[in-house]
């Protein structure tokens, strides 16, 4: 019998589905989270669920929030199930399901963020956490610095009383708390961006510079922005996952989360207004977050970006299918070993080669069902964060970039919107309107794609990179993806 997920049906769930041991009525919200997506619910919410199950820190429950269309859809999905989520950890032959109950509400999603600003008047909310994607931080992708001309920033600087962007919401709420004599909340980014806390700080303070210099000084001096590194492979939810949950565990969940068993969270301990005791459930608190995050962004996220485009061009749908393809796996192994890992600084207590082997095993897990389209989306934001920094470091060291230039060329070829089988597809990228024409022009003139300087920055000025990129792109158009990968593996590219 299939049970709808809600509080009333908790006692009827199958015995092999774990559920909260704490009473939801005893929870009090201490964290407001903006961007309630699958990753947040498989990561931060799971750590809090573990903590509450120990009987501690019930005053650190979550309230969801958001201002995007997707946030409204998530709220509509979770409300009838009392904000509960089913999380399924996927391991071949050993799937494990649990229901988490750490979210106690969800701020109504309106045309702007005023409802969130008002919710943050509550002094009990001492942390605002963010998963707003790499592209949500209003930064120039080529330089990685705050962009004061971003449309959301321009709007919110002029109309902070009705903000439409995340950082306008945060600044408006901080101003109200300051004016009411309340302590500021800590802003905790959980997105895959180098120095994500600092990036968030520059976005909030940079917006404040446009509004009120005293407010900007307050943000820089009084508000904490801890850096973090987060990791868990969490695919998008489709009808496939909903059907699997119903068939395997007998639960009807509007938006379940399926994820790998592995998870990691590394945090800087910078929480002036307090924090939950997450170290008791596996979170690492360290002043060396930057080393962990750089390792993860370069090796894991860079690895995802590397295989996304050749696999997409070859019509491979699942990540684990790409990992059993000899050319794809060989390409990734060679790229990581020869060009990515050598420019990753050492991390305390971590063997980088061993870390990569763990990453490769995680990519190859068929139970996760992670998809190539998910990895391939939003390349204009991901390439400058996950691939081009390694390219830049190697160029500065006078080292070769054959493999990394091939990754950029594969992305360019993918942006043309045609698979190797000449099947068209929709490019899922906020900059698709200019990426596709540039990629098509690059078929005859590779420099046309490198002219996207807001993405490539100074990397595009390197004669070595330009030469390697041109050679790889010409090979991709002339000989095809498999022949080009084979040339790379033989050292003939």
């Amino acid at each position: 019998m299939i049970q709808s997920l809600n509080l009333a049906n908790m006692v009827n769930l199958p015995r092999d589905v774990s559920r909260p041991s704490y009473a939801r009525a005893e929870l009090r919200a201490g964290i407001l989270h903006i961007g309630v997506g699958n990753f947040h619910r498989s990561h931060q919410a799971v750590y809090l669920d573990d903590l509450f199950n120990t009987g501690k820190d019930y005053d650190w429950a979550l309230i969801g929030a958001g201002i995007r269309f997707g946030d409204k859809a998530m709220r509509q999905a979770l409300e009838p199930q009392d904000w509960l989520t089913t999380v399924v950890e996927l391991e071949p032959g050993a799937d494990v399901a649990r229901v988490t109950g750490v979210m106690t509400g969800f701020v109504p999603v309106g045309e702007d963020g005023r409802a969130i600003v008002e919710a943050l008047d509550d002094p009990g909310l001492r942390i605002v956490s963010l998963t707003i994607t790499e592209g949500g931080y209003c930064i120039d992708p080529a330089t990685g610095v705050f962009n004061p001309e971003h449309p959301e920033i321009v709007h919110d600087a002029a109309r902070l009383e009705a903000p439409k962007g995340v950082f306008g919401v945060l600044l408006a709420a901080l101003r109200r708390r300051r004016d009411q004599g309340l302590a500021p909340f800590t802003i905790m980014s959980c997105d895959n961006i180098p120095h994500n806390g600092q990036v968030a700080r520059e976005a909030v303070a940079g917006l404040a510079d446009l509004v009120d210099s005293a407010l900007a000084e307050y943000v820089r001096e009084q508000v904490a922005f801890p850096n973090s590194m987060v990791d868990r492979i969490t695919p998008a939810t489709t009808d496939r996952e909903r059907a699997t949950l119903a068939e395997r565990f007998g639960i009807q969940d509007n938006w379940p989360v399926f994820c790998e068993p592995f998870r990691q969270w590394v945090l800087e301990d910078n929480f002036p207004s307090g924090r939950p005791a997450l170290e008791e459930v596996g979170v690492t608190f360290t002043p060396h977050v930057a080393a962990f995050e750089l390792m993860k962004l370069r090796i894991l996220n860079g690895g995802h970006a590397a295989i996304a485009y050749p696999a997409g061009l070859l019509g491979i749908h699942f990540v684990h299918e790409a990992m059993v393809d000899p050319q794809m796996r060989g390409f990734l192994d060679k790229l990581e070993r020869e060009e990515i890992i050598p420019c990753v600084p050492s991390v305390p207590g971590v063997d980088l080669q061993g870390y990569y082997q763990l990453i490769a095993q995680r990519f190859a897990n068929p139970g996760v069902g992670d998809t190539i389209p998910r990895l391939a989306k939003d390349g204009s934001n991901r390439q400058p964060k996950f691939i081009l920094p390694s390219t830049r470091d190697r160029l500065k060291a006078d080292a070769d970039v054959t493999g990394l230039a091939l990754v950029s060329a594969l992305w360019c070829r993918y942006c043309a919107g045609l698979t190797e089988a000449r099947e068209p597809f929709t490019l899922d990228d906020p900059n698709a309107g200019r990426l596709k024409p540039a990629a098509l022009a690059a078929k005859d003139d590779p420099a046309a794609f490198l002219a996207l300087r807001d993405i490539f920055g100074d990397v595009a000025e390197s004669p070595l990179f330009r030469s390697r990129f041109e050679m790889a792109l010409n090979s991709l158009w002339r000989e095809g993806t498999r022949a080009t990968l084979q040339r790379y593996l033989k050292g003939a590219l």
Side-chain angles (χ1 to χ4, degrees), residues 468-479:
R468 294 287 189 249
F469 175 85
E470 180 176 350
M471 187 178 301
L473 186 61
N474 287 340
S475 178
L476 288 167
W477 279 114
R478 184 176 61 250
E479 302 178 32

Side-chain angles (χ1 to χ4, degrees), residues 39 118 149 175-176 216 325 329 356 401 409 450:
F39 178 77
E118 292 173 4
E149 297 179 359
R175 183 172 67 176
R176 282 169 64 114
D325 182 289
R329 177 61 184 268
Y356 169 64
V401 291
L450 299 182

Side-chain angles (χ1 to χ4, degrees), residues 43-63:
H43 192 266
Q44 181 183 349
V46 169
Y47 279 103
L48 287 170
D49 191 62
D50 284 346
L51 182 61
F52 297 166
N53 278 327
T54 70
K56 296 181 179 180
D57 285 356
Y58 287 0
D59 58 338
W60 287 106
L62 288 162
I63 292 179

